[in-house]
Amino acid sequence: QPHLAEAGGGSVQPGGSLRLSCIVSGYNYQGPCMSWFRQAPGKEREGVAFIWPSGRIDLVDSVKGRFTASQDKDKKTLFLQMNSLQSEDTAMYYCAAGPSLYGDCSRARSGYTFWGQGTQVTVSS
């Protein structure tokens, strides 16, 4: 059974930074689509970053220029570097893995099969 484990969340003031990590085990890391999602209280879970099997990385517009997603395939680890954090970034952050379809990856929650337990990010003064 694949297992994803996030770490690195915490509480920071606006303008601060955090680096999230997600270790993947029990899964063929070379094949799937990987992603970061977040869910704020009372809101839908939304995608933040998407990583294709090819290595292509896409970020949603709301975090471009502030967040950077990366991966270490040898260590089967995803990273999400978050800079210039704002109160609107407060949420539970999840990493997820799912199948690619002819090399393409979904941006929808339904496209991801395996999820971590989440790590809380709180941005507040």
Side-chain angles (χ1 to χ4, degrees):
Q1 178 74 14
H3 182 68
L4 287 73
E6 304 94 337
S11 296
V12 296
Q13 294 185 341
S17 298
L18 284 172
R19 189 190 195 209
L20 307 183
S21 63
C22 172
I23 298 175
V24 182
S25 60
Y27 197 53
N28 178 11
Y29 192 83
Q30 300 304 317
C33 300
M34 305 298 299
S35 62
W36 287 98
F37 279 73
R38 66 185 180 185
Q39 187 166 17
K43 294 189 176 181
E44 295 289 322
R45 191 170 298 188
E46 63 173 359
V48 176
F50 308 93
I51 303 172
W52 271 251
S54 65
R56 169 189 168 187
I57 298 175
D58 275 1
L59 299 166
V60 295
D61 287 345
S62 60
V63 305
K64 281 181 180 177
R66 301 187 299 121
F67 290 13
T68 304
S70 61
Q71 62 178 335
D72 184 331
K73 286 191 173 183
D74 290 337
K75 295 182 179 179
K76 298 184 180 180
T77 304
L78 289 178
F79 301 98
L80 186 66
Q81 176 67 43
M82 306 186 294
N83 299 326
S84 302
L85 283 161
Q86 305 166 357
S87 57
E88 307 87 87
D89 298 315
T90 294
M92 185 73 80
Y93 283 71
Y94 300 88
C95 62
S100 66
L101 183 61
Y102 303 111
D104 202 6
C105 293
S106 173
R107 295 171 183 268
R109 178 179 179 176
S110 59
Y112 294 86
T113 310
F114 303 105
W115 294 80
Q117 81 287 350
T119 186
Q120 178 68 39
V121 171
T122 302
V123 185
S124 174
S125 55

